[in-house]
Amino acid sequence: MRVSVRKDGSALSHAPTNWYAVDWRRVERNVRGMQIRIAKATRDGNWRRVKSLQRMLTRTLSAKLYAVRRVTQNQGARTAGVDRELWDSPESRWEAVGRLKRHGYKPLPLRRVFIPKANGKERPLGIPTMRDRAMQALYLLALEPVSESTSDPNSYGFRVNRSTADAMAQIRVCMSQEASARWVLEADIKGCFDHINHDWLVRHVRMDREILRKWLKAGLIYKGQLQATEAGTPQGGIISPTLANVTLNGLETELMVHLGATLGKTKARKLKVNVVRYADDFVITGDSKELLENEVRPWVETFLATRGLRLSEEKTRITHIDEGFDFLGWNFRKYSGTLLIKPSRKNVQTFYRKVAETISGNKTVKQEDLIRLLNPMLRGWALYHRPVTAKKAYSRMEYLIFGRLWRWSKRRHPQKKTDWVNAKYFHAIGGRRRVFACPRARKDGTTGLFELYNMSGTVIKRHRKISGDYNPFDPTWEVYGERLRQERMWESMRYRKQWATLYMSQGGLCAHCGNALTDDTGWHDHHLEYRMHGGSDALSNRVLLHPYCHQQVHATGAVVTKPVLH
């Protein structure tokens, strides 16, 4: 991969003097090198060295630049805290880097907001200020190698390269065979993020204790009133998911140790106890209801109680696999001995309501604009359920959405006959009839059809589960992680064919800085010769860049060329 150059032929400087002069490849290399050293010290149990390396990392310029970039590029970058400050310019970001200092640091209270949940209730969020978010991102860089190196093998939430599909695949492994576990403890922690014990966190989280205590006790402002925070780690903070993961780490490994100690290791292995956790949601399998009820659940309640948490009596239950259970938007159930995983009824209903509200809330928009609104929703939902038995759910959802779109079309032309409405809004495409589509001019001057996403055309493909032992900060897993990342990015892009082609031609790397393109970083489609200068939309004139690299290229006049893979 090349180093980008300016239009005058000079190389971009490695010593940044402003935000756009930062060499992000060097920044990521420096940060990752330190994280690998922290992870190695963690695996060796050398906690004195871990602490020393963490302190060193949080004081480096590279880590501070990385932290500021993260909080100014994510979805919350336009949401201000109580100080109403946003870092929305290169100058403010560059100045912010110098403000990330431990000495004299005092976090401001969180701004309390509420967002709607799928069940109609509201979820509380605590919004930190930009500076507090950046400080959390900075210290998270030092904490993450520790948490990854000490996490349970089958914990999948808010961890690098792990997803809900991995949790689903692990349950399939544990329950699909005829001799597999037949009973499941469906656990629900009551207000996990709101009730974690602060003293436990300060004693057990391997990071700067003084900084952590300040965040936990910062308080929050709601309706102009300052409220103390006596427990919990508020949802909304960058570091909160990792703190919750650290709190629940040991649920799997310590349970296995407990069962081995009380029942004997040989007998414990035959009980088919498996823990699968995603963030604060988890299920535990077992060979009998009595085992889960009398041995496992009491131990789990004790484990959680030491951390200030408890199970919800209403939502925690023990279920037989023939009755089925819901987890992460899927229903797991055996039919005549065969495990089938389908989209859960609740998930289907929630998604349909969202689509129906979008259609009814846009009664007067152009058909093309409505399709643009719906397509990302339909594609996202279809791809989420792609690894499971979802064909029937796709067909049913398309039938329901067709009814909504038909009513939307008829309402716009109450005086027109059915055939006229049908001819205007619905077309035959390939072997499909009555596809919601509209004519759209192509860039080559011809006219084509812009159609609603075809969910039934989504190919069902079983998900290949990540190895439970995978550690993104262990160099021995480097090749495995790269291959896994590229495979999953290819799968997520394959329905956007041009982006997928560009991604593969670049080896999954940004054409400017040479670092990995991921779902977390996002990407922009950059024209090598600008369209305003006569450049075409051909793939030969386009590359994928990180959003921040794209800004840097335009701001500095750097010239990007097509990468050459070796």
Side-chain angles (χ1 to χ4, degrees), residues 9-20:
S10 61
L12 295 176
S13 173
H14 288 306
T17 55
N18 60 71
W19 185 253
Y20 285 136

Side-chain angles (χ1 to χ4, degrees), residues 443-460:
K443 291 174 180 176
D444 60 4
T446 61
T447 301
L449 286 174
F450 181 42
E451 64 178 288
L452 194 70
Y453 179 76
N454 176 25
M455 285 191 289
S456 297
T458 305
V459 179
I460 301 297

Side-chain angles (χ1 to χ4, degrees), residues 448-491:
L449 286 174
F450 181 42
E451 64 178 288
L452 194 70
Y453 179 76
N454 176 25
M455 285 191 289
S456 297
T458 305
V459 179
I460 301 297
K461 183 178 180 181
R462 180 165 291 191
H463 180 81
R464 188 161 71 90
K465 189 183 82 71
I466 193 171
S467 171
D469 296 328
Y470 170 70
N471 186 339
F473 302 106
D474 184 345
T476 59
W477 288 95
E478 187 79 25
V479 175
Y480 175 88
E482 279 296 303
R483 186 169 65 248
L484 186 74
R485 176 184 62 79
Q486 291 195 24
E487 285 176 2
R488 294 188 174 182
M489 281 292 289
W490 165 253
E491 290 298 333

Side-chain angles (χ1 to χ4, degrees), residues 159-324:
R159 295 180 62 190
V160 180
N161 277 350
R162 297 183 182 231
S163 65
T164 54
D166 289 306
M168 175 274 297
Q170 177 62 17
I171 295 176
R172 177 187 277 142
V173 168
C174 298
M175 307 199 76
S176 61
Q177 302 300 316
E178 186 177 349
S180 296
R182 297 168 296 164
W183 292 89
V184 176
L185 170 65
E186 301 175 67
D188 184 271
I189 301 174
K190 193 167 185 177
C192 178
F193 283 87
D194 296 328
H195 296 106
I196 300 175
N197 184 280
H198 283 179
D199 292 336
W200 190 95
L201 282 172
V202 172
R203 287 197 308 271
H204 293 87
V205 177
R206 299 283 182 173
M207 64 167 287
D208 189 312
R209 293 183 177 181
E210 189 60 33
I211 292 291
L212 178 58
R213 186 179 287 109
K214 286 181 178 181
W215 286 335
L216 296 175
K217 300 298 183 183
L220 57 89
I221 291 180
Y222 179 58
K223 293 183 177 179
Q225 299 291 320
L226 177 63
Q227 301 174 7
T229 46
E230 300 299 336
T233 169
Q235 294 183 67
I238 285 178
I239 205 169
S240 293
T242 302
L243 294 179
N245 268 340
V246 172
T247 303
L248 296 176
N249 277 345
L251 185 65
E252 179 181 359
T253 52
E254 291 179 27
L255 174 58
M256 298 308 172
V257 171
H258 165 75
L259 292 175
T262 56
L263 304 174
K265 292 183 179 179
T266 303
K267 185 177 180 181
R269 278 195 295 268
K270 295 179 180 178
L271 296 175
K272 302 165 187 173
V273 175
N274 298 281
V275 181
V276 180
R277 179 167 68 86
Y278 187 89
D280 59 332
D281 294 324
F282 62 93
V283 296
I284 303 178
T285 68
D287 200 37
S288 69
K289 184 176 183 179
E290 291 72 25
L291 169 70
L292 296 176
E293 206 165 53
N294 302 326
E295 191 69 44
V296 173
R297 179 166 179 169
W299 182 89
V300 170
E301 289 174 340
T302 303
F303 175 88
L304 295 176
T306 61
R307 293 151 173 79
L309 303 173
R310 60 192 177 95
L311 294 174
S312 167
E313 292 295 333
E314 305 81 33
K315 298 180 181 179
T316 300
R317 53 186 172 271
I318 298 173
T319 312
H320 195 278
I321 190 60
D322 289 346
E323 297 174 16

